[in-house]
Amino acid sequence: MAINKARLRHLHYIFAPIMFLPIFLTAITGLLFQVAVITGKGEDFLWLLELHRGKFGIIDLELIYPLINAFGVLFIAITGIIMWLQINKKVKRLHKQQ
């Protein structure tokens, strides 16, 4: 099955900025909470752990937040790798012609 390059690039272009926020938030809150635990102040920063797990005040996404992050990372990684491989094939063909 051929992959429509323009459609793939468009989907990656749309999803990458959308997925940046939850993935970045998860990484930063996990890092900051771990630093708090290492410094012995983990109990004071449990709110970071709640954000890390997807609980945003009255909005509780704890059940689907990991799925959103996992899907986002996999989708962006797979589409990015496919586009990268397509570019590499094009570059290799150009080098063979010279």
Side-chain angles (χ1 to χ4, degrees):
M1 179 177 152
I3 298 171
N4 185 337
K5 294 176 188 178
R7 180 117 173 109
L8 183 71
R9 188 172 299 278
H10 182 70
L11 286 172
H12 187 89
Y13 176 80
I14 296 296
F15 275 105
I18 293 169
M19 290 312 305
F20 173 77
L21 184 61
I23 294 167
F24 183 74
L25 181 65
T26 300
I28 292 298
T29 55
L31 172 70
L32 293 175
F33 184 74
Q34 189 62 33
V35 169
V37 168
I38 290 171
T39 59
K41 298 181 181 186
E43 293 294 321
D44 297 334
F45 292 95
L46 290 176
W47 59 273
L48 277 173
L49 195 56
E50 288 184 359
L51 284 176
H52 181 75
R53 292 180 176 162
K55 190 169 184 180
F56 308 106
I58 59 171
I59 301 172
D60 188 2
L61 300 174
E62 285 184 289
L63 292 176
I64 63 168
Y65 194 68
L67 297 173
I68 292 170
N69 277 342
F71 171 74
V73 167
L74 289 173
F75 182 80
I76 296 303
I78 290 168
T79 56
I81 290 168
I82 291 170
M83 288 188 303
W84 179 73
L85 290 173
Q86 289 172 349
I87 290 171
N88 277 348
K89 287 178 186 176
K90 187 176 182 180
V91 168
K92 286 180 183 177
R93 273 188 263 132
L94 286 174
H95 284 297
K96 285 183 181 179
Q97 290 175 356
Q98 292 178 352

XYZ file of all heavy atoms in Angstrom:
802
model
N 0.843 -1.181 0.000
C 0.000 0.000 0.000
C 0.886 1.242 0.000
O 1.740 1.404 0.856
C -0.888 -0.023 1.240
C -1.792 1.152 1.373
S -2.845 0.938 2.821
C -3.130 2.619 3.236
N 0.697 2.085 -0.959
C 1.489 3.302 -1.070
C 1.002 4.325 -0.047
O -0.192 4.434 0.232
C 1.380 3.870 -2.471
N 1.943 5.058 0.496
C 1.618 6.082 1.473
C 1.568 7.422 0.751
O 2.527 7.809 0.087
C 2.661 6.113 2.601
C 2.657 4.779 3.346
C 2.393 7.254 3.552
C 3.790 4.624 4.325
N 0.445 8.093 0.872
C 0.290 9.405 0.262
C 1.151 10.390 1.056
O 0.854 10.727 2.193
C -1.178 9.816 0.291
C -1.427 11.108 -0.435
O -0.525 11.920 -0.615
N -2.665 11.302 -0.827
N 2.238 10.845 0.451
C 3.215 11.691 1.131
C 2.613 13.001 1.617
O 2.882 13.434 2.732
C 4.401 11.970 0.212
C 5.211 10.758 -0.131
C 6.302 11.103 -1.115
C 6.989 9.850 -1.600
N 8.023 10.151 -2.588
N 1.802 13.617 0.789
C 1.213 14.904 1.163
C 0.252 14.743 2.337
O 0.253 15.560 3.263
C 0.497 15.516 -0.031
N -0.545 13.695 2.320
C -1.495 13.456 3.419
C -0.764 13.150 4.716
O -1.131 13.645 5.774
C -2.416 12.290 3.039
C -3.430 11.946 4.086
C -4.815 12.182 3.550
N -5.792 11.712 4.484
C -6.555 12.538 5.182
N -6.442 13.838 5.013
N -7.436 12.084 6.019
N 0.276 12.337 4.630
C 1.070 11.990 5.801
C 1.707 13.242 6.404
O 1.661 13.471 7.608
C 2.149 10.983 5.422
C 3.022 10.475 6.551
C 2.219 9.559 7.451
C 4.219 9.747 5.982
N 2.301 14.063 5.562
C 2.934 15.299 6.023
C 1.900 16.226 6.661
O 2.160 16.853 7.691
C 3.635 15.990 4.861
C 4.470 17.175 5.274
C 5.299 17.701 4.119
N 6.229 16.730 3.612
C 7.423 16.465 4.150
N 7.807 17.115 5.211
N 8.217 15.572 3.620
N 0.710 16.303 6.061
C -0.342 17.163 6.604
C -0.802 16.662 7.978
O -0.978 17.461 8.897
C -1.521 17.217 5.625
C -2.623 18.119 6.085
N -2.494 19.486 6.115
C -3.860 17.826 6.560
C -3.617 20.005 6.592
N -4.460 19.018 6.860
N -1.000 15.351 8.111
C -1.408 14.797 9.406
C -0.343 15.054 10.474
O -0.659 15.434 11.606
C -1.673 13.298 9.286
C -2.956 12.900 8.569
C -2.998 11.398 8.355
C -4.171 13.374 9.345
N 0.912 14.868 10.119
C 2.003 15.123 11.054
C 2.021 16.610 11.435
O 2.177 16.956 12.602
C 3.337 14.720 10.411
C 4.495 14.790 11.338
N 4.876 13.735 12.129
C 5.364 15.786 11.611
C 5.929 14.084 12.836
N 6.241 15.337 12.539
N 1.819 17.467 10.459
C 1.807 18.912 10.664
C 0.676 19.327 11.610
O 0.854 20.224 12.440
C 1.652 19.595 9.305
C 1.534 21.096 9.352
C 2.669 21.896 9.495
C 0.301 21.717 9.238
C 2.566 23.275 9.527
C 0.188 23.095 9.272
C 1.319 23.870 9.414
O 1.215 25.228 9.449
N -0.472 18.681 11.507
C -1.623 19.006 12.359
C -1.437 18.452 13.768
O -1.663 19.146 14.760
C -2.938 18.444 11.743
C -3.227 19.115 10.403
C -4.111 18.586 12.698
C -3.499 20.599 10.486
N -1.024 17.179 13.875
C -0.958 16.529 15.182
C 0.244 16.927 16.033
O 0.158 16.928 17.255
C -0.963 15.003 15.025
C -2.339 14.432 14.912
C -2.818 14.002 13.688
C -3.158 14.318 16.016
C -4.087 13.483 13.568
C -4.420 13.805 15.916
C -4.899 13.375 14.678
N 1.364 17.270 15.430
C 2.565 17.576 16.207
C 2.353 18.732 17.197
O 2.670 18.579 18.381
C 3.744 17.845 15.284
N 1.812 19.869 16.779
C 1.597 20.943 17.761
C 0.546 20.588 18.819
O 0.668 20.993 19.972
C 1.114 22.127 16.928
C 1.396 21.791 15.525
C 1.503 20.308 15.425
N -0.456 19.813 18.420
C -1.503 19.416 19.372
C -0.925 18.489 20.440
O -1.218 18.619 21.620
C -2.674 18.733 18.639
C -3.387 19.737 17.745
C -3.646 18.090 19.623
C -4.391 19.123 16.788
N -0.081 17.551 20.034
C 0.474 16.572 20.964
C 1.634 17.122 21.785
O 2.009 16.541 22.788
C 0.929 15.318 20.213
C -0.206 14.503 19.655
S -1.545 14.171 20.828
C -0.692 13.427 22.187
N 2.182 18.243 21.379
C 3.312 18.805 22.112
C 2.948 19.112 23.555
O 3.686 18.761 24.476
C 3.828 20.077 21.417
C 4.883 20.778 22.210
C 6.177 20.278 22.235
C 4.589 21.910 22.948
C 7.161 20.905 22.977
C 5.559 22.545 23.683
C 6.855 22.048 23.701
N 1.801 19.770 23.780
C 1.444 20.201 25.132
C 1.302 19.043 26.115
O 1.943 19.061 27.178
C 0.191 21.070 25.106
C -0.214 21.651 26.462
C 0.882 22.547 27.012
C -1.501 22.418 26.322
N 0.486 18.011 25.839
C 0.378 16.941 26.830
C 1.685 16.180 27.050
O 2.016 15.808 28.183
C -0.710 16.013 26.285
C -0.970 16.436 24.908
C -0.440 17.809 24.722
N 2.454 15.974 26.002
C 3.714 15.247 26.153
C 4.717 16.087 26.932
O 5.395 15.590 27.840
C 4.268 14.834 24.775
C 3.332 13.807 24.138
C 5.685 14.280 24.887
C 3.590 13.557 22.684
N 4.800 17.368 26.611
C 5.702 18.276 27.326
C 5.293 18.396 28.791
O 6.144 18.352 29.693
C 5.707 19.640 26.645
C 6.652 20.629 27.252
C 8.015 20.506 27.044
C 6.183 21.681 28.016
C 8.899 21.416 27.599
C 7.056 22.595 28.572
C 8.414 22.461 28.362
N 3.995 18.545 29.043
C 3.495 18.655 30.421
C 3.825 17.402 31.221
O 4.253 17.491 32.377
C 1.984 18.902 30.419
C 1.331 19.072 31.779
C 1.845 20.325 32.459
C -0.181 19.129 31.637
N 3.649 16.245 30.626
C 3.963 14.992 31.308
C 5.452 14.904 31.629
O 5.841 14.520 32.734
C 3.540 13.792 30.443
O 2.127 13.873 30.209
C 3.846 12.480 31.123
N 6.282 15.266 30.690
C 7.735 15.197 30.906
C 8.178 16.184 31.987
O 8.945 15.818 32.896
C 8.475 15.479 29.604
N 7.714 17.417 31.923
C 8.136 18.438 32.882
C 7.635 18.127 34.288
O 8.387 18.222 35.258
C 7.661 19.839 32.424
C 8.404 20.256 31.170
C 7.824 20.879 33.526
C 9.907 20.396 31.336
N 6.356 17.744 34.408
C 5.830 17.457 35.748
C 6.496 16.220 36.338
O 6.761 16.173 37.546
C 4.305 17.291 35.730
O 3.941 16.286 34.767
C 3.604 18.593 35.420
N 6.782 15.220 35.518
C 7.492 14.032 36.012
C 8.892 14.381 36.489
O 9.344 13.929 37.546
N 9.583 15.197 35.722
C 10.933 15.621 36.084
C 10.922 16.433 37.374
O 11.710 16.165 38.298
C 11.535 16.453 34.948
C 12.872 17.123 35.240
C 13.968 16.070 35.331
C 13.190 18.147 34.184
N 10.035 17.429 37.444
C 9.987 18.277 38.633
C 9.580 17.499 39.880
O 10.115 17.741 40.965
C 9.045 19.461 38.403
C 9.503 20.476 37.364
C 8.429 21.540 37.143
C 10.816 21.109 37.770
N 8.645 16.568 39.736
C 8.248 15.769 40.896
C 9.398 14.882 41.357
O 9.630 14.719 42.553
C 7.009 14.920 40.597
C 6.525 14.175 41.806
C 5.878 14.841 42.820
C 6.748 12.815 41.936
C 5.438 14.165 43.951
C 6.324 12.136 43.058
C 5.663 12.809 44.071
N 10.143 14.325 40.416
C 11.285 13.489 40.779
C 12.343 14.306 41.514
O 12.937 13.835 42.483
C 11.894 12.826 39.537
C 12.924 11.792 39.852
C 12.353 10.621 40.646
O 11.202 10.234 40.479
N 13.162 10.068 41.521
N 12.571 15.534 41.072
C 13.510 16.425 41.768
C 13.003 16.702 43.182
O 13.787 16.705 44.146
C 13.714 17.741 40.979
C 14.470 18.769 41.804
C 14.442 17.462 39.677
N 11.697 16.920 43.324
C 11.118 17.160 44.651
C 11.306 15.941 45.550
O 11.625 16.083 46.736
C 9.635 17.514 44.530
N 11.138 14.748 45.023
C 11.324 13.525 45.801
C 12.788 13.385 46.225
O 13.090 13.068 47.375
C 10.858 12.279 45.008
C 11.302 10.993 45.682
C 9.346 12.302 44.839
N 13.701 13.646 45.315
C 15.127 13.526 45.614
C 15.537 14.508 46.705
O 16.352 14.181 47.567
C 15.971 13.742 44.332
C 15.786 12.551 43.391
C 17.444 13.950 44.661
C 16.385 12.758 42.009
N 14.962 15.707 46.692
C 15.299 16.712 47.705
C 14.510 16.521 48.997
O 14.661 17.302 49.927
C 15.054 18.132 47.161
O 13.690 18.274 46.790
C 15.969 18.429 45.997
N 13.671 15.487 49.048
C 12.915 15.188 50.269
C 11.664 16.010 50.446
O 11.101 16.074 51.535
N 11.192 16.664 49.399
C 10.002 17.507 49.505
C 8.861 16.996 48.632
O 7.985 17.760 48.232
C 10.362 18.936 49.117
C 11.398 19.540 50.038
C 11.708 20.945 49.656
C 12.776 21.477 50.610
N 13.055 22.870 50.410
N 8.846 15.710 48.354
C 7.829 15.125 47.492
C 6.418 15.319 48.009
O 5.489 15.537 47.226
N 6.252 15.265 49.325
C 4.912 15.432 49.920
C 4.331 16.817 49.642
O 3.122 16.978 49.570
C 4.975 15.185 51.428
C 5.301 13.750 51.799
C 4.199 12.784 51.397
O 3.008 13.133 51.532
O 4.533 11.680 50.934
N 5.198 17.814 49.495
C 4.734 19.177 49.240
C 4.336 19.398 47.778
O 3.707 20.406 47.456
C 5.832 20.182 49.605
C 6.181 20.154 51.078
O 5.314 19.773 51.885
O 7.332 20.508 51.417
N 4.723 18.488 46.912
C 4.495 18.671 45.483
C 3.657 17.549 44.872
O 3.844 17.205 43.708
C 5.838 18.789 44.756
C 6.583 20.045 45.100
C 7.542 20.045 46.101
C 6.302 21.221 44.433
C 8.221 21.198 46.422
C 6.982 22.382 44.745
C 7.943 22.378 45.750
N 2.715 17.028 45.629
C 1.827 15.988 45.103
C 0.935 16.518 43.981
O 0.482 15.754 43.131
C 0.986 15.383 46.222
C 1.761 14.522 47.224
C 0.849 14.052 48.346
C 2.407 13.342 46.527
N 0.726 17.823 43.966
C -0.070 18.418 42.893
C 0.613 18.225 41.540
O -0.058 18.108 40.520
C -0.345 19.900 43.173
C 0.893 20.733 43.316
C 1.607 20.946 44.453
C 1.568 21.445 42.274
N 2.692 21.751 44.189
C 2.688 22.079 42.859
C 1.334 21.614 40.920
C 3.568 22.857 42.127
C 2.214 22.393 40.182
C 3.319 23.011 40.787
N 1.951 18.176 41.537
C 2.668 17.897 40.295
C 2.362 16.491 39.794
O 2.211 16.270 38.595
C 4.180 18.035 40.501
C 4.771 19.421 40.415
C 6.239 19.394 40.812
C 4.600 20.001 39.036
N 2.268 15.564 40.727
C 1.959 14.185 40.361
C 0.548 14.082 39.783
O 0.312 13.313 38.848
C 2.119 13.270 41.575
C 2.173 11.785 41.319
C 3.277 11.436 40.335
C 2.374 11.032 42.619
N -0.385 14.866 40.330
C -1.745 14.869 39.780
C -1.760 15.409 38.352
O -2.427 14.855 37.473
C -2.680 15.678 40.674
C -2.991 14.974 41.985
C -3.999 15.730 42.815
O -4.458 16.823 42.389
O -4.335 15.238 43.899
N -1.021 16.488 38.107
C -0.917 17.014 36.735
C -0.269 15.986 35.819
O -0.694 15.801 34.679
C -0.090 18.299 36.707
C -0.758 19.571 37.193
C 0.239 20.721 37.178
C -1.963 19.910 36.342
N 0.751 15.325 36.319
C 1.470 14.309 35.546
C 0.545 13.176 35.104
O 0.691 12.641 34.013
C 2.615 13.765 36.391
C 3.445 12.728 35.721
N 4.364 13.043 34.743
C 3.504 11.384 35.874
C 4.955 11.932 34.338
N 4.448 10.909 34.996
N -0.393 12.844 35.946
C -1.318 11.736 35.656
C -2.549 12.166 34.873
O -3.343 11.325 34.457
C -1.753 11.083 36.956
C -0.633 10.352 37.640
C -1.107 9.717 38.903
N -0.057 8.931 39.518
C -0.068 8.541 40.773
N -1.093 8.847 41.554
N 0.928 7.837 41.260
N -2.746 13.475 34.695
C -3.869 13.944 33.885
C -5.042 14.481 34.665
O -6.142 14.588 34.123
N -4.834 14.833 35.910
C -5.920 15.413 36.707
C -5.711 16.920 36.758
O -4.789 17.411 37.399
C -5.939 14.830 38.113
C -7.159 15.206 38.884
C -7.286 14.414 40.150
C -8.595 14.768 40.835
N -8.775 14.021 42.069
N -6.591 17.642 36.050
C -6.468 19.089 35.925
C -7.631 19.774 36.633
O -8.570 20.244 36.002
C -6.436 19.500 34.454
C -5.414 18.745 33.644
C -5.813 17.752 32.762
C -4.071 19.011 33.789
C -4.878 17.059 32.019
C -3.126 18.312 33.062
C -3.531 17.333 32.168
N -7.572 19.808 37.950
C -8.654 20.405 38.738
C -9.928 19.573 38.608
O -9.943 18.394 38.916
N -10.980 20.203 38.090
C -12.250 19.474 37.952
C -12.250 18.553 36.735
O -13.097 17.684 36.612
C -13.455 20.437 37.892
C -13.318 21.400 36.708
C -13.609 21.194 39.183
C -14.560 22.226 36.444
N -11.294 18.744 35.837
C -11.189 17.889 34.652
C -10.261 16.726 34.978
O -9.068 16.903 35.181
C -10.650 18.671 33.440
C -11.571 19.844 33.124
C -10.497 17.757 32.242
C -11.025 20.783 32.077
N -10.843 15.545 35.056
C -10.071 14.353 35.423
C -9.927 13.442 34.205
O -10.860 12.756 33.804
C -10.770 13.614 36.561
C -9.944 12.486 37.126
O -8.800 12.285 36.674
O -10.447 11.799 38.035
N -8.736 13.433 33.616
C -8.463 12.620 32.431
C -7.540 11.445 32.748
O -6.908 10.899 31.850
C -7.819 13.486 31.343
C -8.619 14.676 30.848
C -7.790 15.504 29.878
C -9.912 14.228 30.202
N -7.464 11.062 34.020
C -6.508 10.035 34.430
C -6.670 8.713 33.671
O -5.691 8.003 33.478
C -6.596 9.782 35.938
C -5.954 10.876 36.750
C -5.960 10.570 38.231
O -7.052 10.606 38.822
O -4.874 10.300 38.766
N -7.869 8.376 33.248
C -8.075 7.109 32.540
C -7.600 7.158 31.094
O -7.105 6.165 30.570
C -9.552 6.709 32.582
C -10.091 6.330 33.963
C -11.595 6.058 33.875
C -9.364 5.119 34.498
N -7.747 8.310 30.443
C -7.397 8.373 29.017
C -6.111 9.141 28.735
O -5.570 9.048 27.637
C -8.552 8.972 28.182
C -8.831 10.417 28.588
C -9.789 8.117 28.278
C -9.730 11.151 27.626
N -5.608 9.897 29.702
C -4.416 10.712 29.486
C -3.203 9.890 29.053
O -2.507 10.278 28.112
C -4.118 11.537 30.741
C -3.127 12.648 30.540
C -3.441 13.748 29.755
C -1.881 12.620 31.156
C -2.547 14.783 29.570
C -0.977 13.645 30.980
C -1.318 14.723 30.194
O -0.421 15.737 30.010
N -2.930 8.748 29.686
C -1.801 7.932 29.208
C -2.007 7.426 27.780
O -1.051 7.345 27.009
C -1.752 6.753 30.186
C -2.485 7.207 31.390
C -3.503 8.191 30.914
N -3.245 7.115 27.430
C -3.535 6.662 26.067
C -3.322 7.787 25.057
O -2.790 7.556 23.970
C -4.964 6.133 25.977
C -5.271 4.908 26.831
C -6.755 4.582 26.780
C -4.441 3.733 26.398
N -3.739 8.993 25.426
C -3.537 10.152 24.550
C -2.046 10.376 24.323
O -1.591 10.562 23.196
C -4.194 11.418 25.147
C -5.715 11.276 25.135
C -3.751 12.667 24.403
C -6.439 12.359 25.915
N -1.277 10.341 25.414
C 0.172 10.537 25.294
C 0.822 9.424 24.473
O 1.657 9.689 23.603
C 0.830 10.610 26.670
C 0.743 11.986 27.276
O 0.502 12.964 26.596
N 0.944 12.061 28.569
N 0.441 8.195 24.741
C 1.043 7.060 24.022
C 0.696 7.127 22.539
O 1.575 6.970 21.681
C 0.568 5.740 24.622
N -0.564 7.362 22.226
C -0.972 7.467 20.829
C -0.239 8.612 20.139
O 0.250 8.468 19.019
C -2.485 7.668 20.712
C -2.929 7.997 19.327
C -2.969 7.022 18.346
C -3.294 9.291 18.986
C -3.372 7.331 17.049
C -3.692 9.606 17.701
C -3.733 8.625 16.734
N -0.155 9.740 20.822
C 0.503 10.906 20.238
C 1.969 10.662 19.946
O 2.451 10.976 18.857
N 2.677 10.095 20.909
C 4.103 9.823 20.714
C 4.298 8.824 19.577
O 5.148 9.024 18.701
C 4.745 9.292 22.018
C 6.122 8.721 21.759
C 4.823 10.391 23.053
N 3.527 7.758 19.577
C 3.671 6.751 18.522
C 3.327 7.315 17.150
O 4.038 7.084 16.176
C 2.799 5.535 18.826
C 3.259 4.665 19.981
C 2.223 3.582 20.282
C 4.605 4.044 19.677
N 2.249 8.066 17.059
C 1.827 8.616 15.775
C 2.866 9.590 15.227
O 3.265 9.496 14.064
C 0.470 9.318 15.910
C -0.034 9.863 14.608
C -0.636 9.031 13.689
C 0.115 11.205 14.300
C -1.086 9.522 12.478
C -0.328 11.714 13.095
C -0.933 10.869 12.179
N 3.321 10.498 16.074
C 4.304 11.490 15.633
C 5.627 10.814 15.280
O 6.280 11.160 14.288
C 4.493 12.582 16.708
C 3.196 13.363 16.923
C 5.639 13.522 16.358
C 2.624 14.012 15.687
N 6.030 9.817 16.074
C 7.282 9.105 15.790
C 7.187 8.331 14.473
O 8.092 8.397 13.638
C 7.622 8.160 16.932
N 6.093 7.619 14.284
C 5.949 6.801 13.076
C 5.859 7.674 11.826
O 6.550 7.419 10.837
C 4.727 5.858 13.193
C 5.017 4.788 14.236
C 4.377 5.241 11.846
C 3.808 3.973 14.646
N 5.039 8.723 11.871
C 4.934 9.588 10.693
C 6.250 10.313 10.431
O 6.658 10.473 9.281
C 3.792 10.610 10.830
O 3.978 11.388 12.020
C 2.436 9.928 10.852
N 6.936 10.724 11.490
C 8.228 11.381 11.327
C 9.266 10.462 10.715
O 10.020 10.861 9.820
N 9.314 9.219 11.181
C 10.269 8.247 10.642
C 9.960 7.948 9.172
O 10.873 7.885 8.340
C 10.275 6.959 11.487
C 10.914 7.240 12.844
C 10.998 5.826 10.774
C 10.728 6.130 13.863
N 8.684 7.787 8.838
C 8.313 7.520 7.443
C 8.731 8.687 6.551
O 9.306 8.472 5.478
C 6.797 7.234 7.322
C 6.459 5.894 7.984
C 6.365 7.230 5.860
C 4.981 5.631 8.125
N 8.471 9.914 7.010
C 8.874 11.074 6.196
C 10.387 11.154 6.080
O 10.920 11.462 5.014
C 8.316 12.367 6.808
C 6.825 12.505 6.637
S 6.164 14.109 7.148
C 6.683 14.235 8.826
N 11.101 10.851 7.146
C 12.559 10.879 7.134
C 13.115 9.836 6.161
O 14.044 10.122 5.412
C 13.078 10.643 8.546
C 14.559 10.623 8.652
C 15.402 11.691 8.573
C 15.376 9.471 8.853
N 16.697 11.273 8.730
C 16.717 9.909 8.906
C 15.107 8.119 9.012
C 17.769 9.037 9.091
C 16.170 7.255 9.208
C 17.478 7.712 9.244
N 12.517 8.651 6.172
C 12.963 7.608 5.242
C 12.703 8.002 3.799
O 13.502 7.706 2.913
C 12.282 6.275 5.567
C 12.724 5.592 6.859
C 11.855 4.387 7.150
C 14.192 5.216 6.802
N 11.590 8.657 3.534
C 11.282 9.107 2.180
C 12.281 10.160 1.719
O 12.720 10.143 0.571
C 9.862 9.666 2.112
C 8.801 8.606 2.241
C 7.413 9.179 2.355
O 7.231 10.382 2.532
N 6.419 8.326 2.263
N 12.679 11.045 2.599
C 13.672 12.066 2.257
C 15.017 11.406 1.987
O 15.718 11.759 1.045
C 13.778 13.126 3.366
C 12.511 13.974 3.392
C 15.001 14.009 3.159
C 12.411 14.903 4.584
N 15.394 10.436 2.832
C 16.672 9.743 2.643
C 16.725 9.012 1.307
O 17.759 8.994 0.649
C 16.929 8.768 3.791
C 17.520 9.465 4.989
O 17.940 10.614 4.912
N 17.563 8.774 6.107
N 15.625 8.394 0.894
C 15.595 7.717 -0.404
C 15.817 8.715 -1.536
O 16.538 8.446 -2.489
C 14.262 6.993 -0.595
C 14.103 5.749 0.242
C 12.744 5.126 0.021
C 12.523 3.958 0.958
N 11.166 3.413 0.821
N 15.195 9.874 -1.413
C 15.329 10.911 -2.433
C 16.777 11.413 -2.496
O 17.329 11.587 -3.579
C 14.376 12.066 -2.129
C 14.300 13.115 -3.198
C 13.267 14.165 -2.838
C 13.128 15.201 -3.908
N 12.134 16.220 -3.576
N 17.397 11.617 -1.344
C 18.786 12.090 -1.298
C 19.720 11.045 -1.893
O 20.635 11.377 -2.656
C 19.196 12.435 0.157
C 20.696 12.653 0.276
C 18.442 13.647 0.640
N 19.498 9.767 -1.591
C 20.342 8.702 -2.130
C 20.227 8.645 -3.647
O 21.217 8.447 -4.349
C 19.961 7.351 -1.511
C 20.434 7.205 -0.088
C 20.032 5.855 0.473
C 20.444 5.741 1.926
N 20.010 4.491 2.531
N 19.001 8.813 -4.169
C 18.823 8.812 -5.624
C 19.537 9.976 -6.269
O 20.138 9.849 -7.328
C 17.331 8.860 -5.971
C 16.699 7.480 -6.034
C 15.285 7.529 -6.567
N 14.406 7.540 -5.395
C 13.399 8.369 -5.214
N 13.090 9.274 -6.113
N 12.674 8.323 -4.136
N 19.520 11.127 -5.625
C 20.218 12.301 -6.170
C 21.725 12.082 -6.183
O 22.406 12.469 -7.123
C 19.878 13.555 -5.349
C 18.484 14.142 -5.544
C 18.232 15.276 -4.568
C 18.317 14.642 -6.969
N 22.268 11.449 -5.153
C 23.701 11.187 -5.105
C 24.116 10.159 -6.164
O 25.217 10.243 -6.705
C 24.128 10.699 -3.715
C 24.188 11.793 -2.706
N 25.045 12.855 -2.801
C 23.482 12.001 -1.555
C 24.881 13.665 -1.779
N 23.931 13.163 -1.002
N 23.278 9.193 -6.455
C 23.594 8.192 -7.474
C 23.625 8.821 -8.870
O 24.362 8.378 -9.735
C 22.578 7.049 -7.433
C 22.789 6.119 -6.266
C 21.796 4.973 -6.308
C 21.995 4.054 -5.119
N 21.030 2.947 -5.121
N 22.787 9.821 -9.100
C 22.720 10.469 -10.400
C 23.957 11.329 -10.682
O 24.295 11.572 -11.798
C 21.468 11.327 -10.514
C 20.193 10.495 -10.586
C 18.955 11.378 -10.579
O 19.039 12.585 -10.443
N 17.792 10.755 -10.717
N 24.625 11.777 -9.653
C 25.765 12.687 -9.845
C 27.003 11.964 -10.154
O 27.576 11.133 -10.105
C 25.976 13.546 -8.591
C 24.842 14.519 -8.392
C 25.023 15.331 -7.115
O 25.901 15.085 -6.313
N 24.160 16.287 -6.919
